[in-house]
Amino acid sequence: RKTVKRQIHEAEESDEPEEGASSELVSLKDAYLLPVFGSLALYGLFIATTEWDRTIINYALTAYFGIMGALATAQVGVIILTAVITLFGIKLDYWHIRLIRTSHEFYTARFSVVHLFMLPVSAMLSAYYVGTKNWVASNLLAFSFALSTVQMFTLESFKTGVVLMSGMFAYDVYWSNKPEILNVILKNFDLPIKVVFPRLLLGLPAGQAFKFVSLGLGDIVVPGLFAALCLRFDQQRAGVRNPELGRSTQFRKPYFIGCIVAYTLGLGSMFAIHHITRVTLPALLFLTPACVLSVFMSAAVRGELQHVFQY
């Protein structure tokens, strides 16, 4: 039996959007295993390209990332549009869909008009990417994947964060020294797993193709998870000082801001070195020490090293 219920102001349930979605906890064991599984997946894809028809593999991967990209884009678009609409003081009505069998509810969904708008828009964007492989559409899907992942997963502790950052750093360095494998994959598959930027946005001769510089999703997601951990730590420390803080976002964020500044400086250093020397270096070679050291330096200055190690 399927029931659909529209929420109104007088309804017993709240008509406000949910303040936070449940996320999957990344444990210390997960942090150790992720670089291993990532390496196995990368090498497995390389073996597949040498043994099977690359065209079929490309079609399958494009279809998969197209579908998942549409869902990720819809999720991110709903969050952004809902926040913008709320800023203008517009109240959204929400609907519930519940699937019930023998008095047991086994599925429930909650949506608003924003969801109904974003689903077709994200589907059209994904279809446009699949049909054209346009770099702007690819970037939008890639950013959506990154933001959805950061929202979906939560690091268990700073120890887990450091292990994950270090493990992915080693992963990045190792596979960067295996060009015979990476080049095969990069040349044969054009997927929204990286963000690309034209080297020059202006001044190109007519008809000349853009030359791009890229940033892998791992270089966004892994530091993003670490920055989100810093923000939660800032909130926890603020809650200790002010027990009435609750879910307010009005608190000082020294660790989060420090991590974001360190990430920006690390990324800028990588691009500067690449521009000057034309040598491509792994991004996490700069981002891992920058983000991790920013936390420990902030903790040392604030006298909170013990709290960081215990969090």
Side-chain angles (χ1 to χ4, degrees):
R1 185 166 65 92
K2 184 170 84 170
T3 62
V4 181
K5 177 180 178 181
R6 182 181 184 273
Q7 290 179 277
I8 57 176
H9 299 307
E10 293 80 14
E12 190 172 308
E13 294 171 312
S14 171
D15 201 36
E16 295 295 327
E18 295 175 355
E19 292 189 28
S22 60
S23 58
E24 187 75 20
L25 195 65
V26 178
S27 67
L28 185 61
K29 180 181 178 182
D30 296 329
Y32 279 118
L33 291 177
L34 185 60
V36 177
F37 288 143
S39 297
L40 292 175
L42 189 63
Y43 189 70
L45 184 58
F46 169 72
I47 295 297
T49 59
T50 59
E51 298 294 332
W52 299 332
D53 188 341
R54 296 176 182 179
T55 303
I56 296 177
I57 298 174
N58 216 337
Y59 282 148
L61 289 176
T62 299
Y64 172 79
F65 279 97
I67 295 171
M68 299 305 295
L71 296 175
T73 306
Q75 179 185 8
V76 172
V78 165
I79 294 172
I80 295 174
L81 284 181
T82 302
V84 172
I85 291 172
T86 303
L87 284 177
F88 284 96
I90 302 173
K91 191 173 183 63
L92 291 170
D93 289 329
Y94 283 82
W95 287 263
H96 270 184
I97 294 179
R98 293 190 177 95
L99 302 182
I100 302 173
R101 184 177 182 181
T102 61
S103 301
H104 175 68
E105 182 180 295
F106 62 90
Y107 176 79
T108 181
R110 188 170 184 267
F111 63 95
S112 70
V113 67
V114 178
H115 295 77
L116 300 179
F117 170 76
M118 279 307 306
L119 282 173
V121 169
S122 60
M124 287 188 290
L125 173 65
S126 184
Y128 177 69
Y129 159 74
V130 170
T132 65
K133 294 298 181 78
N134 178 269
W135 67 273
V136 176
S138 178
N139 280 355
L140 290 174
L141 295 183
F143 274 123
S144 298
F145 279 130
L147 293 174
S148 297
T149 304
V150 172
Q151 183 191 31
M152 192 180 304
F153 295 97
T154 301
L155 295 178
E156 183 181 51
S157 63
F158 273 115
K159 183 178 180 180
T160 301
V162 171
V163 169
L164 179 62
M165 293 281 287
S166 303
M168 295 308 294
F169 165 83
Y171 166 93
D172 217 6
V173 172
Y174 176 80
W175 288 108
S176 294
N177 290 307
K178 297 288 183 179
E180 68 279 6
I181 294 177
L182 280 184
N183 289 340
V184 170
I185 295 175
L186 294 176
K187 289 179 179 179
N188 287 281
F189 303 109
D190 183 12
L191 301 171
I193 55 175
K194 61 184 181 298
V195 177
V196 297
F197 306 94
R199 292 182 185 274
L200 294 174
L201 291 176
L202 300 173
L204 285 175
Q208 181 175 329
F210 280 123
K211 294 182 179 180
F212 293 96
V213 60
S214 63
L215 183 67
L217 280 195
D219 304 325
I220 301 173
V221 171
V222 176
L225 291 171
F226 193 77
L229 177 65
C230 293
L231 183 60
R232 293 205 329 272
F233 181 69
D234 282 327
Q235 186 181 41
Q236 187 266 345
R237 296 304 301 160
V240 170
R241 291 188 290 269
N242 179 16
E244 298 180 357
L245 181 67
R247 297 182 63 88
S248 172
T249 58
Q250 302 301 314
F251 55 89
R252 297 182 63 188
K253 307 172 181 68
Y255 291 92
F256 175 72
I257 294 174
C259 186
I260 294 298
V261 170
Y263 178 86
T264 304
L265 293 175
L267 197 61
S269 300
M270 183 205 71
F271 282 128
I273 291 175
H274 175 69
H275 179 74
I276 295 171
T277 65
R278 299 299 178 185
V279 175
T280 301
L281 296 172
L284 289 179
L285 181 67
F286 300 86
L287 301 180
T288 295
C291 293
V292 172
L293 287 177
S294 73
V295 170
F296 292 123
M297 289 175 64
S298 296
V301 170
R302 298 172 61 87
E304 296 178 339
L305 277 172
Q306 183 178 0
H307 296 293
V308 167
F309 288 127
Q310 292 176 348
Y311 185 75

